[in-house]
Amino acid sequence: MEASLVAGDRPTVLVTNDDGIDAPGLRALVSLLVSTDRFHVLVCAPDSEKSAVSHSITWRNAISVKQVDISGATAFAVSGTPADCTSLGISKALFPSVPDLVISGVNMGDNCGYHIVYSGTVAGAREAFFSGIPAVSVSYNWIRGKSNVNDFTLAAKACLPIISAILAAIKTKHYPKNCFLNIDVPTDVVNHKGYRLTRQGKSFVKMGWRQVTSEREGGNVLSTMTMETNSSESTHARALKNAPLDHLLFKRRV
């Protein structure tokens, strides 16, 4: 690993996610990191939502990369998966140096237990870990009707002491290299009770399938692995609309 952190320099932090580069969680995290004036902030994130793609990578095709204007950061939107974004961001093909720390998030929805297998957010951090680079995935337990976009800023602020402690440990060469961290922030961030280091849980939300006949019937399911969006037509909506008449349509049921 060839990291950029030397005495007196600001550490370089690479931010990615699976909700997409325009997601409020990523924007809140980047804005906070920039506002501290303590970090050199890079962003390499998917150009659209890639929730629940797990650790999939783009293998056969080239991926496109477009620079995006995010104040105080050097940012690129990538057509690939979260793992692609991290891999590209740490490769020195896009940025001139290897980041000191990779942060994936802030995700819209928690990533606990076996959810981490499906999570693109966690995969963004895991990809850095595979290359020996310290990494953290951050998720906020979003609840529809109770949470709002300002909570992402609160979640990022709650994680800032952990991020600073990690970078301090990296600088003194005391950061453990045999793991990466997965942080879940509770819904009521303001009244959180502190920090606790735990073991990975085994919880799992069972999912099934139901047959649908139209986009309207398919609907939108918000789980810990999806996010609400006002963006253009979704992938599942296009699939429902374009499916041949002799094909059956199925949608996941949480």
Side-chain angles (χ1 to χ4, degrees):
M1 180 178 71
E2 184 183 345
S4 61
L5 185 59
V6 296
D9 284 353
R10 291 189 301 173
T12 297
V13 177
L14 173 68
V15 179
T16 190
N17 71 348
D18 72 355
D19 290 333
I21 197 164
D22 293 320
L26 180 142
R27 293 301 180 108
L29 175 60
V30 171
S31 178
L32 176 67
L33 294 174
V34 170
S35 70
T36 65
D37 199 31
R38 291 160 47 194
F39 312 105
H40 177 216
V41 183
L42 308 176
V43 180
C44 189
D47 59 9
S48 60
E49 188 190 348
K50 294 293 190 299
S51 294
V53 300
S54 189
H55 210 110
S56 60
I57 61 173
T58 303
W59 185 255
R60 291 183 175 84
N61 303 315
I63 59 175
S64 63
V65 179
K66 179 182 179 181
Q67 189 156 14
V68 175
D69 184 19
I70 299 181
S71 179
T74 304
F76 292 90
V78 180
S79 64
T81 67
D84 288 332
C85 293
T86 297
S87 178
L88 179 61
I90 66 177
S91 68
K92 296 174 68 174
L94 186 63
F95 302 113
S97 63
V98 177
D100 301 294
L101 176 66
V102 172
I103 307 175
S104 185
V106 176
N107 187 63
M108 188 182 203
D110 62 8
N111 278 301
C112 299
Y114 289 135
H115 287 182
I116 66 169
V117 177
Y118 296 106
S119 171
T121 301
V122 176
R126 190 189 299 117
E127 180 68 22
F129 164 70
F130 287 163
S131 295
I133 298 173
V136 180
S137 52
V138 181
S139 301
Y140 166 68
N141 187 29
W142 174 278
I143 294 180
R144 182 188 293 180
K146 185 175 182 179
S147 303
N148 64 74
V149 292
N150 295 325
D151 291 326
F152 288 113
T153 298
L154 296 176
K157 287 181 178 178
C159 293
L160 189 57
I162 301 175
I163 294 169
S164 298
I166 291 172
L167 287 166
I170 293 170
K171 187 172 183 178
T172 59
K173 302 186 185 303
H174 288 99
Y175 186 79
K177 296 182 178 180
N178 60 346
C179 66
F180 68 97
L181 297 181
N182 178 44
I183 302 173
D184 281 281
V185 181
T187 305
D188 187 6
V189 188
V190 174
N191 296 310
H192 79 85
K193 299 178 180 180
Y195 308 93
R196 177 177 295 176
L197 184 63
T198 69
R199 294 183 178 182
Q200 181 59 50
K202 297 181 180 180
S203 61
F204 182 71
V205 175
K206 293 183 179 180
M207 292 178 287
W209 293 91
R210 65 187 179 98
Q211 188 172 350
V212 298
T213 57
S214 67
E215 176 187 350
R216 181 179 296 275
E217 186 179 348
N220 288 313
V221 175
L222 179 65
S223 72
T224 57
M225 294 174 288
T226 63
M227 68 174 288
E228 294 171 312
T229 176
N230 294 319
S231 60
S232 57
E233 189 177 38
S234 66
T235 302
H236 85 269
R238 289 194 297 272
L240 290 168
K241 182 180 292 184
N242 299 328
L245 295 178
D246 60 345
H247 285 209
L248 299 176
L249 301 175
F250 290 88
K251 183 141 185 4
R252 280 196 181 274
R253 178 175 56 197
V254 178

